[in-house]
Each structure stands twice: as C-alpha cells, then as structure tokens.
Amino acid sequence: MYRLTGAVCLSLGLISSPGYAQVADLVDKSSFRVCADPANLPLSSQDGSGFENHIAELLAAKLERPVRYTWFPQVIGFVRQTLTAGKCDVVIGAPQGDELVLNTNHYYTSTHVMVVRADSDLADVTTLSDPRLQGRRGGVVAGSPVTTHAARRGMMKLAKPYDLMIDRRVENPAGDMLRDLAEGVTDFALMWGPIAGPLAKETPGLKVIPLVEETGTPRLFFRITMGVRAGEIEWKHQLNSLIRRNQAGIDAILREAGVPLVDDYGKTLKAAAQP
C-alpha cells in the first residue's frame, strides 16, 4: 500500500547518526500519540468506539500517558500526513511488511472471510470451491486478495463490486455489502475479517466464515502490527514489550469486537487463552 523510497529515508535523516537522533526525538514522552482514521469503524472512530481505539487506551494506560489522536482519513497520503510528519507516533493497525513504516511484532493475525445469511443453504460452506457458490451473486471488494480467488473459480460474472480505497467519512462500502446481503441483493460477501466480523456481529442473522481452508495465492491471512517511523528502534522495542506483556488483554478486546483470530499461518482459528 505504501512505498518508502531512498529520498524519504534521506529526508528523515536515516543515513547519519545525527539524523537518527532527530527521528527518535520525535516520540512524545508525555502522551501516547496515535495516527488514526476518524471514521473507520469498526477499527477506529473519533468517538473512541473502534477496537483500535480500545487497544490504544489499554497501551496508554500501561504507559501511564493520555491518548492523543491525529485524525486523517486512511487513504493515499495517510502515513505521510500523520506519522512521517511527526504529528503522531504510532499507527495501531499496520500490515506486516508495510513499506512506509517500521513494523513492531504483530499483535494479531486475521483472515478474509465469507459472510452469509445464517438461514441460507450456504451457512455450512467453508471454501470458495464449494459448488453451491456457483451461479450465486457475491459481494466483493475490488482489488482485494480474496477477489482473485473468486475470479479463479469463475465467480466474478455475477459479482457485485464495492470500492476498496475510500474516505469513510462519506462512503461505507463494508456497511453497504452487509446491508445488500441481509436484504437478499447478494447471496454472500467476501470481506476482510477484522471489518466483517464486528459489523456482522451488529447485524442479526449473518454468519461469518473464516476462509482458513483456502490454498494458493495470494494468501488471505495477514499479520497486523503497529507502525512507527523508520529508525525509531527504541520506540519499536518498547511497543514490542508492551504488546508481549499485554497480549491477553489485546486478544480480549479483539474477541469482544468480533475479530476472527487465526494462527500465525492462517490455517486454524486461534484458541482463546485459558483463564
């Protein structure tokens, strides 16, 4: 999604040790400064109701600092206008391998899912190769990995596409997908689990099926990290320690929200921690 170029590295001062110190000094010691989208439920919201907001509150409490947000829609330019600009110090949800940030250790792994009506004949489908999906109309997010799997199985002829990169302040494709599914416009929806799970939880009569049995490329599971500025090694290590010591609390927030958690290889659902 993002690109970290050599020019950016030079502008951030990552080549020389004085530059490195300048980057490291950007981290605020008096507050937990979070870069976030103000209208990206169920992940983040300006009213603090997203599950990433709750994770931020948990970590800030452990650091004994207040949370302070820099709000910006998560579209092209998000990292450049927030984190790189020094206005905030951490992106709570960043895919592992994101090239515009320095990734912490991942704090959860999730996968794409299929959402169906619980009373439909598709309620026990577990893979996209199930013949019952042929001839049915599915909702898909244009450009998402799971759409490639659907196309490979000839499912795109009847598919209804929804936009991927949008400003959630004015558009809500995930909500539109689930509304169309509930109203019978589509028969199933293929979505990213951390978005679909929490939203489907709020819509009676829908079932979320994690696609952990799919094989082939592209992969459907992703490890989610926190993102910091390139060069901020000490801050990364501090966050890694926070994540490790508070993993059970983070998992509890994610499960309560309805996020489907899978193992690190996307093969099975992650077992809940024993009390």
Side-chain angles (χ1 to χ4, degrees):
M1 183 186 302
Y2 308 113
R3 295 291 182 268
L4 183 58
T5 65
V8 172
C9 290
L10 287 169
S11 68
L12 290 177
L14 302 184
I15 303 303
S16 64
S17 55
Y20 173 84
Q22 290 171 8
V23 172
D25 288 344
L26 291 176
V27 178
D28 193 311
K29 302 299 190 297
S30 62
S31 63
F32 188 58
R33 301 193 306 166
V34 178
C35 322
D37 189 318
N40 196 27
L41 285 174
L43 285 77
S44 64
S45 173
Q46 197 158 354
D47 66 8
S49 60
F51 64 78
E52 289 182 354
N53 298 111
H54 299 324
I55 292 171
E57 292 287 348
L58 170 66
L59 299 186
K62 299 300 181 181
L63 288 170
E64 299 183 338
R65 302 176 191 174
V67 177
R68 184 152 61 91
Y69 285 100
T70 293
W71 301 109
F72 195 88
Q74 200 157 10
V75 294
I76 293 174
F78 171 75
V79 169
R80 175 172 51 85
Q81 295 286 348
T82 59
L83 186 69
T84 303
K87 297 176 181 178
C88 42
D89 301 318
V90 61
V91 177
I92 295 296
Q96 190 177 68
D98 185 334
E99 295 178 355
L100 261 193
V101 302
L102 176 63
N103 296 107
T104 66
N105 294 341
H106 65 282
Y107 64 97
Y108 76 96
T109 304
S110 193
T111 188
H112 282 76
V113 302
M114 178 167 59
V115 188
V116 299
R117 291 183 295 278
D119 61 356
S120 79
D121 64 323
L122 302 179
D124 61 343
V125 169
T126 59
T127 72
L128 297 180
S129 60
D130 193 299
R132 286 173 290 179
L133 293 174
Q134 295 299 315
R136 310 297 282 270
R137 191 175 197 197
V140 298
V141 178
S144 66
V146 71
T147 301
T148 301
H149 287 252
R152 189 180 297 134
R153 292 174 170 84
M155 299 164 62
M156 297 302 293
K157 292 177 291 185
L158 300 176
K160 181 176 180 179
Y162 300 80
D163 291 336
L164 173 63
M165 294 298 290
I166 49 87
D167 184 341
R168 283 289 306 278
R169 295 174 298 181
V170 295
E171 297 181 72
N172 183 19
D176 294 342
M177 288 181 77
L178 294 183
R179 185 191 65 246
D180 286 347
L181 176 60
E183 294 177 355
V185 176
T186 55
D187 298 304
F188 61 92
L190 302 178
M191 304 174 68
W192 172 231
I195 294 176
L199 293 182
K201 188 177 179 180
E202 299 175 358
T203 307
L206 297 184
K207 180 180 179 180
V208 176
I209 303 168
L211 295 172
V212 294
E213 297 182 23
E214 295 302 312
T215 58
T217 58
R219 72 175 192 218
L220 298 184
F221 69 95
F222 292 90
R223 301 175 185 127
I224 304 302
T225 74
M226 297 179 194
V228 302
R229 280 176 290 272
E232 294 182 336
I233 305 300
E234 290 185 14
W235 178 225
K236 169 186 171 178
H237 289 166
Q238 187 175 4
L239 288 172
N240 281 342
S241 178
L242 272 175
I243 291 168
R244 184 180 65 255
R245 290 184 282 112
N246 294 283
Q247 188 64 65
I250 292 172
D251 284 357
I253 290 171
L254 294 169
R255 290 184 187 281
E256 174 62 24
V259 175
L261 301 180
V262 299
D263 67 13
D264 287 348
Y265 302 97
K267 298 299 184 184
T268 61
L269 294 177
K270 182 179 178 180
Q274 297 299 314

